[in-house]
Amino acid sequence: MFKINENYLKLPGSYLFSTIGKKVNAYKEANPDKEIISLGIGDVTQPLAPAIIDSLHKAVDEMAVRETFRGYAPDLGYEFLRSAIAKNDYAARGADIAVDEIFVSDGAKCDSGNIQEIFSINNKIAVCDPVYPVYVDTNAMAGRTGTYNKETELWSNVIYMPCKAENGFAPELPEETPDIIYLCFPNNPTGATIKKPQLQEWVDYANKAGAVIIYDAAYEAYISEEDVPHTIYECEGAKTCAIELKSFSKNAGFTGTRLGYAVVPKALKDSDGNSLNALWARRHGTKFNGAPYIIQRAGEAVYSEEGKKQTKEQIAYYMNNARIIKEGLKEAGFTVSGGVNAPYIWLTAPSGMTSWEFFDYLLANANVVGTPGSGFGPSGEGYFRLTAFGTYENTIEALKRIKEL
Ligand code: PLP
């Protein structure tokens, strides 16, 4: 009789957003007349920008003609997109990343989950706490995280780096040396960022310790402050210690169309001199058949003059929501952070409520859905995340309701 991968049995509870979905559906069923506003899941609400739509139409038409039809895409990505990325996301920021260090994918979720496969199962991971849950869960599925303690909600073989108000929601260098360090800036869920000298400290630390940093920059486009790095490769020495993950979901609304990429520099080698670039190319080529041609053309359009202008306007739209949420919450007496370099506002649940208690309270009394901070890690307990990805009208209405509580 077959057996399942027992690592899956060790996973705690269900995926955060399924639990939220179930709770919201149950509430809707019991209260069909209530109008619920979701500022919960980090999904965009603005349609794709016109320059992107034009490019999609054009690419679709090419697929209808024998001469321009495309079959399987090159599994590492089309040259036109990879060079647009190298030029706009790296060369323009003074970072020298070559086209063959860029691996186009169908999004940063898959990349952030899959990248651990190329590391030894004995490698120890360090994660910010709270953080995007995919990092720990995928390492748990691989069997790298030890045993799960239901009471502390901690895995025995993971180094947690608490990010709380006391340290400005920024991780401190861990006492125990990790092999793999996950950093996510701007951070989901706290919206926190670190400045370039702080990121340089992490790069120096990783190079010295022989650790690799997996740098998730999915929210890079939301950075508004001058001294916050847009890519880890702005730091000296990052090419020998860092992999960077990027997504087209939040900067250009590709959550449904799917596109992302990973940067794995050729200078990045393990202690035996094995190239991670070659390993990731092997893994990508074996398990991934390329992002669709039409979507890669759409991705290319994000870097056109019109595309840049239009996506910038969308980001400004969401960041205006972020400002409305942050200021509204402050007026209502909440303690808030984030929302300056990220579309996430991180607030302290009032009156000593737990994160889930506040979730229930907000759903029942304001019909507003947010995300409990504890779902992102134990140090998120007592906190709550609201997103700026709603429509302007819904954001205004949600804040009106919250202020009336
Ligand atoms: N990384 C972080 C930190 C995220 O918050 C998300 C989505 O919410 C992703 C990656 C997923 O990005 P994608 O839509 O490209 O899979």
Side-chain angles (χ1 to χ4, degrees):
M1 187 66 194
F2 69 85
K3 292 256 194 215
I4 62 154
N5 173 350
E6 287 187 4
N7 295 326
Y8 279 67
L9 296 175
K10 298 186 202 160
L11 292 168
S14 67
Y15 184 59
L16 172 63
F17 290 101
S18 332
T19 312
I20 292 175
K22 274 185 208 143
K23 273 187 174 260
V24 173
N25 285 341
Y27 184 82
K28 272 187 192 157
E29 240 170 68
N31 304 277
D33 55 319
K34 302 277 190 203
E35 206 188 304
I36 292 169
I37 296 177
S38 177
L39 302 181
I41 192 161
D43 197 358
V44 293
T45 48
Q46 292 292 295
L48 290 170
I52 298 167
I53 292 293
D54 286 348
S55 178
L56 277 169
H57 280 302
K58 197 165 155 262
V60 167
D61 289 342
E62 284 179 48
M63 294 299 249
V65 178
R66 187 188 300 273
E67 285 71 31
T68 49
F69 168 77
R70 314 280 177 125
Y72 287 122
D75 38 54
L76 305 186
Y78 281 104
E79 176 76 21
F80 61 77
L81 178 59
R82 294 166 92 199
S83 32
I85 292 168
K87 184 170 158 230
N88 292 280
D89 289 347
Y90 296 102
R93 302 199 181 286
D96 173 28
I97 294 294
V99 164
D100 59 359
E101 294 176 311
I102 296 165
F103 299 79
V104 174
S105 73
D106 59 358
K109 186 178 198 176
C110 297
D111 282 343
S112 65
N114 291 333
I115 198 80
Q116 48 76 29
E117 280 183 36
I118 61 170
F119 296 99
S120 159
I121 198 72
N122 299 319
N123 279 175
K124 191 153 190 169
I125 66 161
V127 290
C128 294
D129 170 26
V131 84
Y132 186 51
V134 173
Y135 314 147
V136 172
D137 283 9
T138 52
N139 275 282
M141 288 169 180
R144 197 177 279 113
T145 52
T147 49
Y148 183 72
N149 182 327
K150 278 202 180 104
E151 261 162 45
T152 60
E153 298 180 357
L154 300 174
W155 291 89
S156 62
N157 202 33
V158 172
I159 301 168
Y160 292 88
M161 305 182 289
C163 299
K164 295 186 160 207
E166 299 87 271
N167 56 11
F169 302 101
E172 282 149 37
L173 297 174
E175 276 169 28
E176 187 188 350
T177 310
D179 302 297
I180 304 169
I181 303 162
Y182 285 87
L183 294 180
C184 171
F185 292 112
N187 185 267
N188 176 15
T190 65
T193 46
I194 57 174
K195 311 246 155 143
K196 194 166 161 191
Q198 282 172 287
L199 187 57
Q200 184 66 55
E201 264 181 43
W202 280 96
V203 168
D204 295 343
Y205 170 82
N207 272 322
K208 207 163 156 219
V212 62
I213 296 173
I214 297 172
Y215 193 73
D216 187 338
Y219 297 94
E220 168 274 318
Y222 289 84
I223 294 171
S224 67
E225 291 180 323
E226 275 296 307
D227 44 358
V228 175
H230 286 253
T231 158
I232 195 165
Y233 304 113
E234 284 178 40
C235 294
E236 216 164 294
K239 287 212 277 186
T240 52
C241 71
I243 289 173
E244 182 161 287
L245 310 178
K246 287 287 296 281
S247 165
F248 285 75
S249 288
K250 316 294 166 124
N251 65 329
F254 279 54
T255 52
T257 35
R258 315 296 310 139
L259 194 65
Y261 67 86
V263 176
V264 187
K266 281 174 284 189
L268 186 54
K269 308 231 162 97
D270 80 348
S271 54
D272 296 322
N274 294 304
S275 157
L276 268 65
N277 178 282
L279 218 61
W280 187 241
R282 181 78 170 88
R283 191 267 172 215
H284 215 58
T286 303
K287 293 196 179 179
F288 184 62
N289 244 345
Y293 172 69
I294 58 172
I295 306 300
Q296 294 196 50
R297 279 291 183 205
E300 183 191 27
V302 173
Y303 298 106
S304 68
E305 280 318 304
E306 278 302 291
K308 279 185 198 166
K309 190 169 151 272
Q310 292 163 2
T311 51
K312 219 170 164 187
E313 280 163 13
Q314 293 191 334
I315 288 164
Y317 174 94
Y318 294 130
M319 289 312 279
N320 185 44
N321 288 347
R323 186 188 53 77
I324 290 166
I325 298 171
K326 196 168 181 180
E327 283 174 11
L329 288 173
K330 272 194 200 159
E331 270 171 45
F334 286 87
T335 305
V336 278
S337 60
V340 174
N341 295 301
Y344 294 125
I345 288 85
W346 190 238
L347 58 122
T348 308
S351 319
M353 280 189 232
T354 66
S355 301
W356 278 108
E357 280 167 358
F358 186 61
F359 173 91
D360 291 333
Y361 173 82
L362 202 62
L363 178 58
N365 295 288
N367 301 144
V368 171
V369 178
T371 311
S374 55
F376 297 96
S379 295
E381 181 58 279
Y383 289 97
F384 201 74
R385 189 192 78 173
L386 290 176
T387 92
F389 285 125
T391 62
Y392 171 75
E393 294 74 18
N394 276 349
T395 304
I396 294 277
E397 172 62 21
L399 264 291
K400 183 173 154 275
R401 292 184 197 172
I402 292 173
K403 282 187 199 165
E404 283 165 6
L405 283 174

mmCIF file of all heavy atoms in Angstrom, residues 42 107-110 132 135 184 188 216 218-219 247 249-250 258-259 344, ligand 1:
data_model
loop_
_atom_site.group_PDB
_atom_site.id
_atom_site.type_symbol
_atom_site.label_atom_id
_atom_site.label_comp_id
_atom_site.label_asym_id
_atom_site.label_seq_id
_atom_site.Cartn_x
_atom_site.Cartn_y
_atom_site.Cartn_z
ATOM 1 N N GLY A 42 -4.005 39.832 -0.252
ATOM 2 C CA GLY A 42 -3.219 40.823 -0.998
ATOM 3 C C GLY A 42 -3.399 40.682 -2.495
ATOM 4 O O GLY A 42 -2.436 40.445 -3.224
ATOM 5 N N GLY A 107 5.606 33.126 -11.347
ATOM 6 C CA GLY A 107 5.309 33.904 -10.142
ATOM 7 C C GLY A 107 6.249 33.620 -8.990
ATOM 8 O O GLY A 107 6.947 32.601 -8.972
ATOM 9 N N ALA A 108 6.245 34.526 -8.038
ATOM 10 C CA ALA A 108 7.172 34.427 -6.913
ATOM 11 C C ALA A 108 6.732 33.413 -5.863
ATOM 12 O O ALA A 108 7.541 32.945 -5.077
ATOM 13 C CB ALA A 108 7.343 35.802 -6.272
ATOM 14 N N LYS A 109 5.440 33.067 -5.863
ATOM 15 C CA LYS A 109 5.016 32.052 -4.887
ATOM 16 C C LYS A 109 5.686 30.727 -5.218
ATOM 17 O O LYS A 109 6.283 30.086 -4.358
ATOM 18 C CB LYS A 109 3.496 31.889 -4.895
ATOM 19 C CG LYS A 109 2.991 30.954 -3.815
ATOM 20 C CD LYS A 109 1.486 30.859 -3.837
ATOM 21 C CE LYS A 109 0.943 30.291 -2.537
ATOM 22 N NZ LYS A 109 -0.512 30.283 -2.495
ATOM 23 N N CYS A 110 5.590 30.337 -6.498
ATOM 24 C CA CYS A 110 6.218 29.075 -6.911
ATOM 25 C C CYS A 110 7.726 29.132 -6.686
ATOM 26 O O CYS A 110 8.308 28.206 -6.127
ATOM 27 C CB CYS A 110 5.933 28.784 -8.374
ATOM 28 S SG CYS A 110 4.198 28.561 -8.693
ATOM 29 N N TYR A 132 5.544 36.062 5.096
ATOM 30 C CA TYR A 132 4.809 35.280 4.092
ATOM 31 C C TYR A 132 4.966 33.780 4.421
ATOM 32 O O TYR A 132 6.096 33.269 4.464
ATOM 33 C CB TYR A 132 5.447 35.615 2.735
ATOM 34 C CG TYR A 132 4.797 35.066 1.510
ATOM 35 C CD1 TYR A 132 3.442 35.215 1.268
ATOM 36 C CD2 TYR A 132 5.581 34.427 0.541
ATOM 37 C CE1 TYR A 132 2.880 34.737 0.106
ATOM 38 C CE2 TYR A 132 5.016 33.959 -0.636
ATOM 39 C CZ TYR A 132 3.660 34.104 -0.836
ATOM 40 O OH TYR A 132 3.106 33.637 -1.997
ATOM 41 N N TYR A 135 7.430 30.337 2.883
ATOM 42 C CA TYR A 135 8.832 29.926 3.117
ATOM 43 C C TYR A 135 8.907 28.746 4.096
ATOM 44 O O TYR A 135 9.547 27.733 3.812
ATOM 45 C CB TYR A 135 9.678 31.074 3.685
ATOM 46 C CG TYR A 135 9.532 32.412 3.007
ATOM 47 C CD1 TYR A 135 9.641 33.602 3.743
ATOM 48 C CD2 TYR A 135 9.302 32.522 1.649
ATOM 49 C CE1 TYR A 135 9.519 34.843 3.141
ATOM 50 C CE2 TYR A 135 9.174 33.759 1.036
ATOM 51 C CZ TYR A 135 9.273 34.916 1.793
ATOM 52 O OH TYR A 135 9.135 36.138 1.200
ATOM 53 N N CYS A 184 12.388 39.371 3.323
ATOM 54 C CA CYS A 184 11.325 39.873 2.451
ATOM 55 C C CYS A 184 11.126 41.355 2.747
ATOM 56 O O CYS A 184 10.621 41.709 3.806
ATOM 57 C CB CYS A 184 10.049 39.076 2.732
ATOM 58 S SG CYS A 184 8.594 39.754 1.910
ATOM 59 N N ASN A 188 5.885 41.572 3.715
ATOM 60 C CA ASN A 188 4.524 41.108 3.893
ATOM 61 C C ASN A 188 4.569 40.227 5.126
ATOM 62 O O ASN A 188 5.323 39.249 5.121
ATOM 63 C CB ASN A 188 4.076 40.274 2.686
ATOM 64 C CG ASN A 188 2.697 39.685 2.861
ATOM 65 O OD1 ASN A 188 1.959 40.096 3.742
ATOM 66 N ND2 ASN A 188 2.352 38.716 2.029
ATOM 67 N N ASP A 216 13.149 38.186 -1.118
ATOM 68 C CA ASP A 216 11.858 38.300 -1.801
ATOM 69 C C ASP A 216 11.514 39.782 -1.915
ATOM 70 O O ASP A 216 11.203 40.447 -0.923
ATOM 71 C CB ASP A 216 10.798 37.538 -0.994
ATOM 72 C CG ASP A 216 9.460 37.457 -1.710
ATOM 73 O OD1 ASP A 216 9.199 38.293 -2.594
ATOM 74 O OD2 ASP A 216 8.668 36.553 -1.366
ATOM 75 N N ALA A 218 9.043 41.095 -3.857
ATOM 76 C CA ALA A 218 7.765 41.148 -4.593
ATOM 77 C C ALA A 218 7.093 42.525 -4.524
ATOM 78 O O ALA A 218 6.332 42.886 -5.414
ATOM 79 C CB ALA A 218 6.814 40.071 -4.063
ATOM 80 N N TYR A 219 7.385 43.294 -3.467
ATOM 81 C CA TYR A 219 6.714 44.598 -3.289
ATOM 82 C C TYR A 219 7.631 45.779 -3.574
ATOM 83 O O TYR A 219 7.340 46.909 -3.175
ATOM 84 C CB TYR A 219 6.136 44.693 -1.864
ATOM 85 C CG TYR A 219 5.085 43.640 -1.644
ATOM 86 C CD1 TYR A 219 5.408 42.410 -1.074
ATOM 87 C CD2 TYR A 219 3.778 43.848 -2.066
ATOM 88 C CE1 TYR A 219 4.453 41.414 -0.916
ATOM 89 C CE2 TYR A 219 2.817 42.863 -1.920
ATOM 90 C CZ TYR A 219 3.165 41.654 -1.344
ATOM 91 O OH TYR A 219 2.213 40.676 -1.200
ATOM 92 N N SER A 247 8.178 39.540 -8.717
ATOM 93 C CA SER A 247 6.862 39.174 -9.210
ATOM 94 C C SER A 247 6.282 40.315 -10.020
ATOM 95 O O SER A 247 6.573 41.474 -9.747
ATOM 96 C CB SER A 247 5.979 38.899 -7.992
ATOM 97 O OG SER A 247 4.625 38.873 -8.354
ATOM 98 N N SER A 249 3.032 40.510 -10.060
ATOM 99 C CA SER A 249 1.673 40.533 -9.509
ATOM 100 C C SER A 249 1.293 41.877 -8.920
ATOM 101 O O SER A 249 0.207 42.386 -9.154
ATOM 102 C CB SER A 249 1.538 39.471 -8.420
ATOM 103 O OG SER A 249 1.530 38.192 -8.997
ATOM 104 N N LYS A 250 2.187 42.427 -8.117
ATOM 105 C CA LYS A 250 1.802 43.605 -7.337
ATOM 106 C C LYS A 250 2.196 44.905 -8.021
ATOM 107 O O LYS A 250 1.578 45.930 -7.798
ATOM 108 C CB LYS A 250 2.409 43.540 -5.924
ATOM 109 C CG LYS A 250 2.312 42.175 -5.260
ATOM 110 C CD LYS A 250 0.883 41.753 -4.966
ATOM 111 C CE LYS A 250 0.824 40.274 -4.636
ATOM 112 N NZ LYS A 250 0.246 39.934 -3.377
ATOM 113 N N ARG A 258 -0.172 35.760 -14.135
ATOM 114 C CA ARG A 258 0.997 35.042 -13.610
ATOM 115 C C ARG A 258 2.304 35.301 -14.347
ATOM 116 O O ARG A 258 2.467 34.938 -15.511
ATOM 117 C CB ARG A 258 0.770 33.498 -13.594
ATOM 118 C CG ARG A 258 -0.535 33.019 -13.075
ATOM 119 C CD ARG A 258 -0.750 33.353 -11.615
ATOM 120 N NE ARG A 258 0.374 32.960 -10.789
ATOM 121 C CZ ARG A 258 0.856 33.719 -9.789
ATOM 122 N NH1 ARG A 258 0.322 34.891 -9.499
ATOM 123 N NH2 ARG A 258 1.875 33.306 -9.084
ATOM 124 N N LEU A 259 3.220 35.935 -13.657
ATOM 125 C CA LEU A 259 4.579 36.109 -14.183
ATOM 126 C C LEU A 259 5.500 36.550 -13.044
ATOM 127 O O LEU A 259 5.096 37.363 -12.200
ATOM 128 C CB LEU A 259 4.583 37.172 -15.303
ATOM 129 C CG LEU A 259 5.836 37.248 -16.180
ATOM 130 C CD1 LEU A 259 6.022 35.968 -16.996
ATOM 131 C CD2 LEU A 259 5.765 38.440 -17.141
ATOM 132 N N TYR A 344 0.721 47.408 2.608
ATOM 133 C CA TYR A 344 0.190 46.765 3.814
ATOM 134 C C TYR A 344 0.278 47.679 5.029
ATOM 135 O O TYR A 344 1.306 48.335 5.247
ATOM 136 C CB TYR A 344 0.959 45.470 4.106
ATOM 137 C CG TYR A 344 0.741 44.420 3.043
ATOM 138 C CD1 TYR A 344 1.811 43.839 2.387
ATOM 139 C CD2 TYR A 344 -0.549 44.037 2.682
ATOM 140 C CE1 TYR A 344 1.604 42.889 1.396
ATOM 141 C CE2 TYR A 344 -0.758 43.086 1.693
ATOM 142 C CZ TYR A 344 0.315 42.516 1.053
ATOM 143 O OH TYR A 344 0.109 41.584 0.073
HETATM 144 N N1 PLP B 1 6.107 36.917 -2.132
HETATM 145 C C1 PLP B 1 5.418 37.619 -1.234
HETATM 146 C C2 PLP B 1 6.125 38.242 -0.090
HETATM 147 C C3 PLP B 1 4.031 37.760 -1.362
HETATM 148 O O1 PLP B 1 3.351 38.432 -0.449
HETATM 149 C C4 PLP B 1 3.379 37.161 -2.452
HETATM 150 C C5 PLP B 1 1.922 37.246 -2.638
HETATM 151 O O2 PLP B 1 1.148 37.681 -1.876
HETATM 152 C C6 PLP B 1 4.144 36.453 -3.358
HETATM 153 C C7 PLP B 1 5.497 36.342 -3.168
HETATM 154 C C8 PLP B 1 3.480 35.762 -4.507
HETATM 155 O O3 PLP B 1 3.704 36.391 -5.696
HETATM 156 P P1 PLP B 1 3.166 35.776 -7.066
HETATM 157 O O4 PLP B 1 1.771 36.290 -7.276
HETATM 158 O O5 PLP B 1 4.144 36.268 -8.073
HETATM 159 O O6 PLP B 1 3.190 34.297 -6.959
#
